[in-house]
Amino acid sequence: MISENSGEDPRLRQLVDGIVRLAAGDLSTRMTPSENRDDIDAVIAGVNLLAEELEHIYSDLEQRVADRTAMLRRTQAELEQMAKTDALTGLANRILLNERIQEALQNSTASGKAPAVLVLDLDSFKAINDTLGHGAGDAVLVEVATRLLSAVRATDTVARLGGDEFAVVITESTQNEILQIAHRASEKLQDSLRIGSETVWAMASIGVCISAPGDSAESLMRDADIAMYQAKGQGRNNVQLFHPDMLLAVQERSRITAELRNAVSGGELALQYQPVVELASGRVTGLEALLRWHHPARGLIMPDSFIRIAEESGLILELGRWVLHEGVAQLRRWNETAPNLTDFCLHINLSAAELFRSDLLADIRETLDRNHVAPQRLVLEITETVLMSRGTTEEQVLGGLRDLGVGLQIDDFGTGYSSISYLRSLPADTVKVDQSLIQDIGSDPQQQKFVAAILQLISAAGLKAIVEGIETAEQAEQLQAMGCLYGQGYYYGRPQPPEQVLDRLESLAQRRYS
Amino acid sequence: MDVIAADGPKGSLELSDNGLLHLRWLPGVNIEVDDARVAMAKVNELCQQEQHPMLVDMEAVGSVSRQARAVWSIPCSASRIALLGTSPVDRVLANFFLGVHVPPCPTRFFTSRSQALDWLSTGD
């Protein structure tokens, strides 16, 4: 085996070459031992076996790395899935929804079709949770999820945003297709569902926003949300398509809310007073305090423009508190200035939300005490809707107000859904008949009869009627002839600032006695 | 000597009446995993649940693959194994078998047949 030319065993050259190839990373390198099976062959066999071991360990390591990498990828995918899934319903959550909206927007083409977002809010879910428990509530949410999935296409995404709010991303579609899906979702939710032995409904108010060029995921969601609130405002359980006017209205509302918040502390609110008159004598029996907002930029703002916003934002409680404090304080000031002209009551409007104000009774009591005003001189005007639909809390508060000795008056009678049988059981002393009922009594004999009947009805229920909106002497005479005792309206005086009230009271008193 | 024999293309196996298993690999063979599996199956078949010492004649074996060596890590009917070889190559092969895999029964390499047989018979 020893080379005759070099005197070197060629197996050694083969061995060196083999080791070089192994060192270069070619672990499949093997060398062939000779038949001698001597020490050199033993080294060759040993190197072959070591190379084989190395190759095995290397491939084993590579396999393990591949396995671990695959496992990490699977875990990462599972974690991502968990992070993007609503645990209760298995639907997409807000994060995934956002991604899908962005994908849908990116993929949209100039084909006349566009992606859209639906936002759905269940209309009576809180009642289900409150009365049947959270387990029942969860079952309802799961069923709603199933129904929504059955209403959309495979390319669309249904998500739960949290609570009882859901959303759907609709990929590129025509307006007709989008509205069809929205209405299909609404229809799927019309059927009742069984929770144990109970039957419940989970209908939804649905807002739809179809994307326009330049829209972001955020603006689409915001606008679908605005449309959903529009659907809520329109009686719930309906579908509303977003229109830019809706956004302007929301922005306006939001601006007014912010400004109104400052109005109370900034001294921008004021009260004006309108007399309530005894028709027979012309005597002023009361003054109704009416809120005015002197906006620094927009001038005088009437309550119609901001009371609803105040009620929605909860600011009504602060406004109510201010009106009570200012009105009663003004009554005290009049008492001090002209004690002989102050045998009238102060009428203050009380909103439905204020009945739930925990410190209402104490606040009224303390305000009256602080200003040395007898409770009988305060009349709280409450809309008939509040009185008709009163629950336990309202009942207790109304009872407390009566115990306090404060007068209660039904406001805007004839505009709500009054029940005649309820009229007798109402915790009130007087009823203010809405001005819309007397608008045509001068010209319409039928309306005259109708108003006369209402006045008789109020009288039969043991209540006193005040008719508001009297603008002419003829109306005043007609109402007096019908047996109406009290009236209010421009004929007797427009709302006036407090500093003008005493002068008017004096002139009215002089007119009575002249 | 009464023997129960099982021959394969690369080797033969005998169980003698004195209870010794004798596995002979043919000179120059390259033992692959399937060869090892066949051999082990034959060992178990011949022993029929009984344990016997085994002499493995591996002189002049060409190579033993890693997977083939791994087969012999599985317990079988051999109670102890004596690997018999003569050349330095046999010694290297045997020691890779002993070092890299943990044999399931006492296993040693011998260059002397008589010493191997003594060790198998005495159990020392």
Side-chain angles (χ1 to χ4, degrees):
Chain A
M1 279 304 228
I2 296 170
S3 159
E4 287 177 6
N5 296 333
S6 63
E8 183 189 83
D9 189 328
R11 290 177 299 168
L12 288 174
R13 169 59 54 192
Q14 186 199 1
L15 198 53
V16 171
D17 289 346
I19 289 171
V20 167
R21 282 203 301 280
L22 286 169
D26 181 6
L27 299 182
S28 64
T29 300
R30 300 288 182 272
M31 291 142 284
T32 313
S34 72
E35 300 294 324
N36 297 358
R37 297 183 78 82
D38 58 10
D39 284 343
I40 291 179
D41 287 325
V43 172
I44 289 173
V47 170
N48 280 345
L49 288 163
L50 283 171
E52 192 180 16
E53 278 305 312
L54 205 55
E55 193 177 22
H56 171 78
I57 291 166
Y58 189 82
S59 106
D60 186 50
L61 272 177
E62 285 213 315
Q63 186 59 47
R64 282 189 202 193
V65 169
D67 289 349
R68 290 289 162 92
T69 306
M71 194 182 78
L72 281 172
R73 287 206 176 116
R74 270 199 309 277
T75 310
Q76 189 186 8
E78 281 168 15
L79 282 172
E80 272 181 16
Q81 175 76 4
M82 275 167 64
K84 292 177 179 179
T85 306
D86 173 52
L88 176 66
T89 59
L91 295 177
N93 65 9
R94 197 180 279 273
I95 297 168
L96 185 55
L97 175 82
N98 201 43
E99 283 179 14
R100 294 283 163 84
I101 297 174
Q102 276 168 350
E103 282 169 22
L105 288 174
Q106 278 162 10
N107 296 336
S108 63
T109 53
S111 60
K113 296 181 171 187
V117 170
L118 315 184
V119 169
L120 305 91
D121 190 273
L122 301 186
D123 292 329
S124 52
F125 183 70
K126 189 175 180 302
I128 295 171
N129 251 353
D130 289 349
T131 54
L132 302 178
H134 288 276
D138 286 354
V140 168
L141 293 173
V142 170
E143 174 61 21
V144 167
T146 309
R147 291 187 187 186
L148 291 179
L149 284 170
S150 72
V152 303
R153 304 162 307 179
T155 50
D156 305 327
T157 303
V158 182
R160 181 173 167 230
L161 302 177
D164 60 349
E165 210 175 14
F166 295 83
V168 178
V169 188
I170 299 175
T171 51
E172 251 188 354
S173 304
T174 63
Q175 179 169 324
N176 266 349
E177 288 165 344
I178 291 163
L179 289 175
Q180 267 174 15
I181 293 171
H183 285 288
R184 200 157 61 224
S186 180
E187 280 160 23
K188 296 270 183 189
L189 299 178
Q190 299 303 312
D191 292 340
S192 64
L193 50 114
R194 298 284 296 174
I195 302 294
S197 58
E198 302 286 337
T199 301
V200 296
W201 279 263
M203 290 170 285
S205 300
I206 303 177
V208 183
C209 183
I210 302 173
S211 72
D215 271 350
S216 65
E218 202 177 34
S219 67
L220 258 183
M221 277 297 291
R222 178 199 62 199
D223 294 347
D225 208 41
I226 288 169
M228 184 274 288
Y229 277 108
Q230 189 81 9
K232 285 259 185 229
Q234 303 220 339
R236 305 176 169 209
N237 190 26
N238 69 92
V239 175
Q240 290 294 321
L241 179 61
F242 174 78
H243 186 277
D245 287 350
M246 293 180 187
L247 177 60
L248 292 177
V250 167
Q251 286 168 339
E252 171 79 356
R253 230 182 359 248
S254 156
R255 191 173 57 75
I256 292 176
T257 306
E259 290 176 349
L260 193 55
R261 214 174 282 280
N262 296 327
V264 181
S265 54
E268 295 169 18
L269 298 179
L271 289 178
Q272 291 194 348
Y273 298 87
Q274 187 177 33
V276 177
V277 174
E278 186 180 50
L279 298 185
S281 63
R283 184 172 65 89
V284 173
T285 61
L287 286 171
E288 182 181 2
L290 297 163
L291 185 59
R292 300 289 183 264
W293 179 6
H294 294 284
H295 191 281
R298 292 191 291 152
L300 180 66
I301 303 178
M302 303 300 275
D304 289 353
S305 306
F306 64 86
I307 287 296
R308 193 167 167 192
I309 294 170
E311 283 176 336
E312 285 169 3
S313 63
L315 274 172
I316 193 71
L317 299 181
E318 208 174 330
L319 293 187
R321 197 176 271 123
W322 184 85
V323 169
L324 174 71
H325 294 172
E326 174 55 27
V328 175
Q330 181 59 53
L331 197 55
R332 188 201 70 224
R333 288 193 285 271
W334 283 325
N335 277 344
E336 290 166 357
T337 316
N340 57 323
L341 285 173
T342 52
D343 59 338
F344 55 81
C345 294
L346 175 71
H347 291 237
I348 283 178
N349 291 287
L350 200 66
S351 90
E354 284 182 278
L355 288 177
F356 291 95
R357 176 150 76 92
S358 58
D359 66 340
L360 179 69
L361 290 174
D363 191 17
I364 291 173
R365 192 187 302 113
E366 284 163 19
T367 306
L368 291 170
D369 286 350
R370 193 167 58 242
N371 292 286
H372 310 295
V373 171
Q376 293 72 24
R377 294 195 60 197
L378 181 65
V379 175
L380 298 174
E381 299 192 9
I382 304 167
T383 59
E384 61 171 344
T385 319
V386 173
L387 292 172
M388 290 295 175
S389 60
R390 60 192 188 276
T392 316
T393 308
E394 292 100 317
E395 197 80 70
Q396 283 173 354
V397 175
L398 291 171
L401 289 171
R402 290 193 73 81
D403 292 346
L404 212 60
V406 169
L408 293 176
Q409 178 176 296
I410 302 170
D411 201 7
D412 300 334
F413 183 78
T415 56
Y417 302 96
S418 304
S419 155
I420 292 168
S421 62
Y422 260 43
L423 203 53
R424 289 189 65 188
S425 64
L426 285 177
D429 320 294
T430 51
V431 173
K432 187 184 276 185
V433 178
D434 190 70
Q435 55 189 325
S436 60
L437 292 176
I438 64 154
Q439 269 171 4
D440 301 322
I441 55 167
S443 56
D444 183 352
Q446 206 59 34
Q447 186 68 9
Q448 217 173 72
K449 283 184 193 170
F450 184 61
V451 172
I454 288 172
L455 291 170
Q456 279 174 6
L457 188 70
I458 292 169
S459 172
L463 301 165
K464 291 173 190 161
I466 299 175
V467 174
E468 66 175 346
I470 301 174
E471 292 183 351
T472 64
E474 188 192 2
Q475 284 176 333
E477 281 165 20
Q478 278 180 325
L479 288 166
Q480 198 183 338
M482 289 176 200
C484 179
L485 296 177
Y486 304 98
Q488 189 180 349
Y490 285 179
Y491 175 64
Y492 295 107
R494 290 170 180 264
Q496 282 188 314
E499 56 273 16
Q500 295 174 12
V501 166
L502 289 180
D503 287 345
R504 173 191 282 162
L505 290 180
E506 268 177 21
S507 69
L508 281 171
Q510 280 170 10
R511 201 160 73 186
R512 276 175 60 210
Y513 296 120
S514 62
Chain B
M1 177 172 79
D2 292 330
V3 294
I4 304 168
D7 292 340
K10 292 187 179 177
S12 64
L13 179 71
E14 290 175 0
L15 176 61
S16 62
D17 56 355
N18 61 0
L20 181 72
L21 282 164
H22 189 181
L23 173 61
R24 282 190 196 87
W25 292 109
L26 296 176
V29 295
N30 297 315
I31 303 170
E32 301 297 338
V33 61
D34 288 342
D35 306 321
R37 283 198 186 118
V38 168
M40 180 175 269
K42 283 180 176 169
V43 167
N44 292 333
E45 187 187 324
L46 284 181
C47 292
Q48 296 186 339
Q49 311 293 328
E50 283 184 16
Q51 297 261 303
H52 294 281
M54 178 163 75
L55 178 70
V56 179
D57 225 324
M58 57 176 289
E59 193 178 351
V61 159
S63 66
V64 186
S65 78
R66 193 179 190 285
Q67 285 172 303
R69 293 196 302 273
V71 170
W72 292 100
S73 302
I74 304 164
C76 66
S77 294
S79 55
R80 49 178 39 209
I81 299 171
L83 300 169
L84 182 63
T86 51
S87 69
V89 174
D90 299 339
R91 188 171 153 226
V92 167
L93 289 178
N95 279 287
F96 260 84
F97 174 73
L98 294 169
V100 177
H101 298 283
V102 180
C105 59
T107 306
R108 278 179 65 178
F109 175 71
F110 295 92
T111 50
S112 155
R113 184 173 299 271
S114 59
Q115 282 178 3
L117 290 171
D118 285 350
W119 180 75
L120 286 173
S121 61
T122 59
D124 293 333

